[in-house]
Amino acid sequence: MRRWDTVAIIGVGLIGGSIGLALRKRKLAKHVVGVGRRKSSLAKALACGCVTNTTTSVSRGVANAELIVVCTPVEQIAEHVSAAAAHCSDGTIVTDAGSAKAELVAQIDSALVHGRQGRPFFVGSHPIAGSEKTGPEAARADLFEDRVVVVTPTDRTDAGAVAAIEAFWRSLSATVVRMSPEEHDAALAATSHLPHLVASALAAATADELLPLTGSGWQDTTRVAAGDAELWRQIFLANQAHTLKALEDFETVLSRFRNALIHADGALLASLLAEGKRRRDAVGS
Amino acid sequence: MRRWDTVAIIGVGLIGGSIGLALRKRKLAKHVVGVGRRKSSLAKALACGCVTNTTTSVSRGVANAELIVVCTPVEQIAEHVSAAAAHCSDGTIVTDAGSAKAELVAQIDSALVHGRQGRPFFVGSHPIAGSEKTGPEAARADLFEDRVVVVTPTDRTDAGAVAAIEAFWRSLSATVVRMSPEEHDAALAATSHLPHLVASALAAATADELLPLTGSGWQDTTRVAAGDAELWRQIFLANQAHTLKALEDFETVLSRFRNALIHADGALLASLLAEGKRRRDAVGS
């Protein structure tokens, strides 16, 4: 398992903080440099043990890094990769943790080709792990254990860098799945972005005076709606077309439920519920 | 706090079993008789400590009971209340745990009035507590602690029996809310039945090959879809009109999300997400 001398993490929130914590706990990096805008947040990350050093300067933060992981919100990732690329050493490997990949990877690939070709190496990643909680204080060293990380190389991506990034996620006990950025976005629209939209719409559709009458069913079904609204606004805009398609597919199933209710069709209701249960049971808790 | 000599529980699954367990743990009943159809399930309830005696005969089960709690699926409750009423002593109090109340309470009120008037006393209840798990082996003595139980008396309901049933639920540390059966059904359509429908539709809308790419967001949002499909078929049919209305309200919010996506309207997306977050945060975990 590769041990790094220095890993730089740009954006030390829940995901970045958990990467730092996991690297340190597993003794996979001597130095973990946390790069961020806000000193208060960096101080928290340091106090939680997520990082060994902190800086608000990208250029200083990435100077000695062999690996750079950009964990900022989707709309800032391309800019941070470019900033890191301008200041890191030759051969440095850069990855990210963004939830939408097609636009982003195309933008970064094109920026790096038009910049200093060949260095650094960028490979897109998306760890399917998270929580409605935010900030380094919510970070967990085991956040990626037995979770899937999608790695999204393109024709332009360096094969050695892909292998290194896949090994990096595996060293945190994640399972790596390789997909094209487009495939990733279509899949995650259905498995992550649509569920968030649905949870949020369901919470918003519940009248305030009824909130005391909610139970664990409502609480589970709406849990992710407590997530950071600004992060999710960015994800929806970055994966707009695929999310719309997933929403359409969902509305088709909803309209079957509606018809079953309108016609008091118990057999149709039973088969729809059985189909939902079958897929939910297949995933487990 | 009233201590009962004998409580009969008809239907000893998750809810009935948890009531028995809570009564016994709190030493609120000397005898808890579990009444059920299947001997294997009754044996499990006995082994789990949910009940002190078991029988497959309703008449024998309710003979000495001061309190009867009917915890069978919605479509069987009226029949079980009638069967219990035919065999219990004068002044026995009967309640249930059904998730839909208007049709059911009207049916029971009318059956009891046309039968032996004045005895027993029926008061409708709905504990807003549960799980996607089923059976007495999933029972928990603390299932009702700090949970809401809706009690649904009508003009015909005996005031003393209402007070006794409210005290009963409070003795299990539940919070009692009194509502008419109609008010209950309208409220629970939004806070419980719609979330189940949405969770089930979301699970059913996820292609099998994408299930390995689901994370904790999908898992939370679809969790209740693992619940018993037959129980939920009955609940939806018993609360058809209110569930349809709640579905309509939800689809109105969904269409706002759709428009925001179509027009890439970040400000609208942000405000919809913020509204969902506000209501989810108001409830807590």
Side-chain angles (χ1 to χ4, degrees), chain B residues 90-108:
Chain B
D90 288 9
T92 300
I93 302 174
V94 184
T95 191
D96 74 317
S99 300
K101 302 256 73 104
E103 274 182 35
L104 177 66
V105 171
Q107 201 179 343
I108 293 172

Side-chain angles (χ1 to χ4, degrees), chain B residues 225-242:
Chain B
D228 186 311
E230 169 55 18
L231 289 183
W232 280 92
R233 181 193 66 74
Q234 296 188 17
I235 293 169
F236 286 128
L237 290 182
N239 199 21
Q240 180 199 12
H242 291 296

Side-chain angles (χ1 to χ4, degrees), chain A residues 128-132 147-148 150 177 179 186-188 190-192 194-208 210-230 232-233 236-237 239-240 243-244 246-251 253-255 257-267 269-270 272-285, chain B residues 128-132 147-148 150 177 179 186-188 190-192 194-208 210-230 232-233 236-237 239-240 243-244 246-251 253-255 257-267 269-270 272-285:
Chain A
I128 305 179
S131 161
E132 71 281 6
R147 309 309 291 265
V148 168
V150 183
V177 172
M179 300 174 89
L188 271 288
T191 61
S192 170
L194 174 67
H196 194 100
L197 188 159
V198 163
S200 188
L202 187 62
T206 312
D208 282 315
L210 297 182
L211 295 178
L213 295 172
T214 56
S216 61
W218 187 93
Q219 284 164 27
D220 281 340
T221 313
T222 60
R223 179 157 294 115
V224 294
D228 187 311
E230 168 55 17
W232 280 94
R233 180 192 68 73
F236 286 128
L237 290 182
N239 199 19
Q240 179 200 12
T243 305
L244 265 172
L247 178 54
E248 249 172 51
D249 294 343
F250 172 66
E251 288 180 313
V253 181
L254 263 196
S255 73
F257 267 100
R258 181 161 11 91
N259 287 332
L261 280 173
I262 288 171
H263 302 294
D265 185 340
L269 270 175
L272 289 166
L273 288 163
E275 187 55 27
K277 178 170 169 58
R278 183 181 70 73
R279 301 206 189 188
R280 185 60 187 81
D281 287 345
V283 169
S285 54
Chain B
I128 305 178
S131 160
E132 71 283 5
R147 311 308 291 265
V148 168
V150 182
V177 172
M179 299 174 89
L188 271 289
T191 61
S192 170
L194 174 68
H196 195 99
L197 188 159
V198 163
S200 188
L202 188 62
T206 312
D208 281 315
L210 296 182
L211 295 178
L213 295 171
T214 57
S216 60
W218 187 94
Q219 284 165 25
D220 281 340
T221 313
T222 59
R223 179 158 292 114
V224 294
D228 186 311
E230 169 55 18
W232 280 92
R233 181 193 66 74
F236 286 128
L237 290 182
N239 199 21
Q240 180 199 12
T243 305
L244 266 171
L247 177 55
E248 248 173 51
D249 294 346
F250 172 66
E251 288 180 313
V253 181
L254 264 197
S255 74
F257 267 100
R258 182 160 11 92
N259 286 333
L261 280 173
I262 288 171
H263 302 294
D265 184 340
L269 270 176
L272 288 166
L273 288 164
E275 187 55 25
K277 179 172 169 55
R278 183 182 69 73
R279 302 209 185 183
R280 185 60 187 82
D281 286 345
V283 170
S285 51

